[in-house]
Amino acid sequence: MKTSDCIFVAGHRGLVGSAIVRHLRGAGHENLLLRSRDELDLRDTSRVAAFFAEHRPAYVFLAAARVGGIWANSTYPADFIRDNLIVQLNVVQAAHAAGVRKLLFLGSSCIYPKFADQPIREDALLTGALEPTNEPYAVAKIAGIVLCQSYNRQFGTRFMSIMPTNLYGPGDNFDPAGSHVLPALIRRIHEAKEADAPEVVVWGTGTPRREFLHVDDMAEATVHLMQVWAEADASGRIVGGPNAINEIVNVGYGSDVSIREVAELVKDAVGYEGALRFDATKPDGTPRKLLDSSRLLATGWAPRVALRDGIAETYAWFLEHHGEARMGASAAV
Ligand code: GDP
C-alpha cells in the first residue's frame, strides 16, 4: 500500500473508521476517500456502485456498520441484521466490479459461539450456537465473512476479514442506552459523581468477562494486517499461509477483566467514591469473550495501550466532548 494509493475508508466517522483515518494520515497516506452518510448512504446499492465506478479506490477498509451494545441489539434486531447485510453486500460487490486490489472487512468477536473454548480461536467460527442478545448482528457479520471468502473463490478477489474484540477509546458512542459497557459506565459514573449520588447502577451481575482493546491499537493492527496479511514476506513466503486471504484474523488485547473490575477502573479514573449496585434484571450476555490473537501476534504486532491508561484517556476525551450531539445519538451506519 503506497502513500499515493487511493484508499476508501467506509465508516470514517465511527469509532474504528476515524482511528484508521488518523493512523493512515499519520503514516503519510493523503489520498483518502471519505464520505459521510449524508454524502453516500452505503445502503443505496446503485449509488455505491456509481461511487466505486467513478473513484476506483485501490484499497478499502470496510468499517461501516450499524453497531451498538446489548440493549440496542435486543431492541432493534431487524435494523442490525438488515443494515449490516446490505452495506456489506453493496460494498463487496462494488469493490469487485471496480477491481479493488484488497479489501479488509471488520467483523466482530460476537460471531463466535456463545460457549466457545476460551481464548477463542478463529476456527471456532460456525461450531456452535450464538449468544441470542446479538444474534442478528452476528449472523450479518458471519455472512460478511463468507461473502468475502466466496468472492475470493469465485472471482479471485483479495477480500480479507478481521475480528476485533470489544473496542473503546476517543470517538466512542456515549449514548446511555445504545452504547457498549465502557462508554456507558464512563458516562454514568461521571454523572453520579457530578450529582453526588451515593451509588451507581451497573447492568447484570458484574461477573461476565470482556477483553478491551484501545481503538488506536485496533487501527494500527488493521493497517498492519492490510499491508502484511496474505502478502509475501521478505523470504517470499505468504504471511498466514497459502490460503491466508480466506483465513479470518482475531484482533485482541490478550487478557480480559470482569465487568465489576471494569466498573472499578472507571470509578478510579473518574474519581467517584460511591458504591456500585449490580442490577441482575439486566442481561449479562455471553459469560466470557477473550480472543486468541496468536495469528496476529505471529505477524509481529502487539498492542501498546494498557486498559487503565486507555480508560483515563477516554475519560479525558469524554470530558472535552460531552456537550456534543453524538453523545445522545444512537449508533448508526
Ligand atoms: P457485549 O460485549 O456484546 O455483551 O456488549 P456490552 O458492551 O453492551 O455489554 C457487556 C457487558 O457489560 C454485559 O454483561 C452488560 O450487562 C454489562 N454492562 C454493565 N453495565 C452496562 C451498561 O451500562 N451498558 C452496557 N451496554 N452494558 C453494561
Side-chain angles (χ1 to χ4, degrees):
M1 204 163 65
K2 295 195 293 293
T3 50
S4 57
D5 284 331
C6 178
I7 304 172
F8 177 41
V9 181
H12 76 285
R13 293 250 173 105
L15 176 64
V16 187
S18 58
I20 291 174
V21 168
R22 281 198 301 277
H23 189 73
L24 286 171
R25 288 208 170 116
H29 293 277
E30 296 296 344
N31 194 2
L32 304 184
L33 204 48
L34 309 173
R35 291 291 183 276
S36 68
R37 185 153 52 125
D38 291 345
E39 293 163 335
L40 176 66
D41 187 333
L42 294 170
R43 294 170 298 188
D44 184 333
T45 308
S46 51
R47 289 200 59 205
V48 172
F51 170 81
F52 271 81
E54 182 185 349
H55 297 283
R56 302 208 162 261
Y59 294 90
V60 174
F61 290 91
L62 179 39
R66 178 175 288 276
V67 297
I70 200 161
W71 179 85
N73 269 275
S74 27
T75 311
Y76 304 110
D79 293 355
F80 276 83
I81 188 163
R82 182 199 58 229
D83 284 352
N84 286 308
L85 282 174
I86 196 159
V87 166
Q88 293 159 196
L89 204 49
N90 288 345
V91 173
V92 164
Q93 169 54 27
H96 163 51
V100 162
R101 230 174 280 161
K102 200 172 183 184
L103 175 146
L104 186 150
F105 169 62
L106 278 125
S108 161
S109 58
C110 68
I111 58 152
Y112 292 116
K114 174 166 184 163
F115 297 112
D117 287 345
Q118 308 281 327
I120 310 172
R121 289 156 39 106
E122 288 89 349
D123 58 14
L125 179 63
L126 292 172
T127 59
L130 299 165
E131 155 61 36
T133 50
N134 52 25
E135 187 183 71
Y137 174 79
V139 167
K141 288 290 186 184
I142 293 170
I145 296 167
V146 179
L147 189 66
C148 290
Q149 293 169 336
S150 303
Y151 271 69
N152 294 342
R153 292 204 180 103
Q154 190 173 335
F155 303 118
T157 48
R158 295 178 59 73
F159 297 166
M160 61 177 291
S161 303
I162 70 174
M163 302 307 123
T165 191
N166 293 40
L167 303 172
Y168 72 99
D172 212 337
N173 169 19
F174 288 85
D175 172 58
S179 59
H180 285 105
V181 59
L182 234 170
L185 290 182
I186 288 179
R187 180 172 177 155
R188 196 166 325 120
I189 292 177
H190 168 79
E191 288 172 355
K193 182 186 163 197
E194 297 283 279
D196 248 335
E199 62 171 29
V200 71
V201 172
V202 180
W203 297 356
T205 58
T207 56
R209 298 184 70 82
R210 293 289 184 275
E211 178 188 29
F212 295 95
L213 182 71
H214 191 283
V215 71
D216 287 343
D217 277 338
M218 176 63 200
E220 194 183 82
T222 304
V223 174
H224 165 77
L225 284 168
M226 178 71 111
Q227 281 165 323
V228 306
W229 190 253
E231 307 292 335
D233 66 12
S235 62
R237 267 193 297 269
I238 302 296
V239 173
N243 191 35
I245 198 72
N246 289 323
E247 301 280 3
I248 64 177
V249 184
N250 287 341
V251 182
Y253 181 71
S255 58
D256 60 358
V257 288
S258 71
I259 297 302
R260 177 186 291 276
E261 288 169 292
V262 177
E264 294 288 352
L265 284 169
V266 174
K267 264 182 67 175
D268 288 352
V270 171
Y272 174 65
E273 315 230 302
L276 299 174
R277 182 163 64 81
F278 291 90
D279 176 3
T281 65
K282 291 279 197 304
D284 267 344
T286 200
R288 193 173 183 208
K289 211 163 37 168
L290 173 64
L291 295 181
D292 179 332
S293 302
S294 41
R295 224 174 237 185
L296 167 63
L297 298 180
T299 69
W301 180 86
R304 302 176 208 246
V305 187
L307 184 56
R308 182 177 286 278
D309 299 339
I311 290 177
E313 187 216 344
T314 307
Y315 180 51
W317 187 91
F318 169 81
L319 287 178
E320 261 178 53
H321 294 85
H322 77 294
E324 291 169 20
R326 186 169 157 76
M327 297 295 151
S330 64
V333 176

